Amino acid sequence: MNQPQLSVLARLFAGNQLQQAAEQLKQQEQARVEAEASLARVQKQLKEVEAELKIRTEIMNVTSIVSEADKKGDILSINEKYLEISKYSRDELIGHPHSVTRHPDMPKETFKQMWSTIGRGNIFRGVIKNRAKDGTPYYVDAVVAPILGDDGSR
């Protein structure tokens, strides 16, 4: 940005104040240019991370059953693979507990352990026997993780 030269009269009447204001304006302009450059770098990094996350999510949706539940265990979201394997419709699962797909052979102690583990903020992993809508059993290598806030609370 071109800075106008101060006239002799302006320098005489305003003294050093105009020169200081001009210098501050110049510094602020430089800071703005640097902030814009930094923002552009962060936006580029964000796009790269988003693209990678999209690919990872696509891979996960092809290879894994994925669901999200609330604190009570009611299903909030599920991926297509979950529907394919369980043979339930989305409407039959969303808002219902995961126990809809639990096989009756599955010991309740496993789920007590799971809730205890995630209640402590830890990740639970275990083999779960489920039952599809048509009665066919299927096993999942379940990984259940609590989603915690920035402050560590649930």
Side-chain angles (χ1 to χ4, degrees), residues 67-148:
S67 65
E68 181 181 8
D70 62 17
K71 293 178 183 179
K72 297 182 305 183
D74 291 340
I75 299 171
L76 299 173
S77 67
I78 47 181
N79 69 348
E80 292 299 319
K81 183 61 87 175
Y82 195 111
L83 298 174
E84 176 189 329
I85 300 298
S86 73
K87 301 177 182 155
Y88 282 92
S89 71
R90 190 172 300 280
D91 289 340
E92 291 173 304
L93 294 172
I94 300 294
H96 298 280
H98 273 90
S99 59
V100 168
T101 58
R102 183 181 343 168
H103 195 282
D105 291 352
M106 198 62 208
K108 290 186 181 192
E109 182 57 38
T110 302
F111 298 100
K112 287 179 184 176
Q113 180 185 7
M114 178 195 74
W115 282 106
S116 174
T117 301
I118 64 174
R120 292 189 307 273
N122 297 321
I123 295 174
F124 169 85
R125 185 169 185 185
V127 176
I128 306 291
K129 182 178 184 182
N130 282 340
R131 181 170 55 182
K133 185 176 179 180
D134 67 2
T136 307
Y138 64 95
Y139 292 86
V140 294
D141 179 10
V143 178
V144 183
I147 309 247
L148 306 175

Side-chain angles (χ1 to χ4, degrees), residues 14-25:
N16 210 15
Q17 292 176 340
L18 282 177
Q19 188 65 31
Q20 288 174 351
E23 184 59 35
Q24 286 177 342
L25 184 61

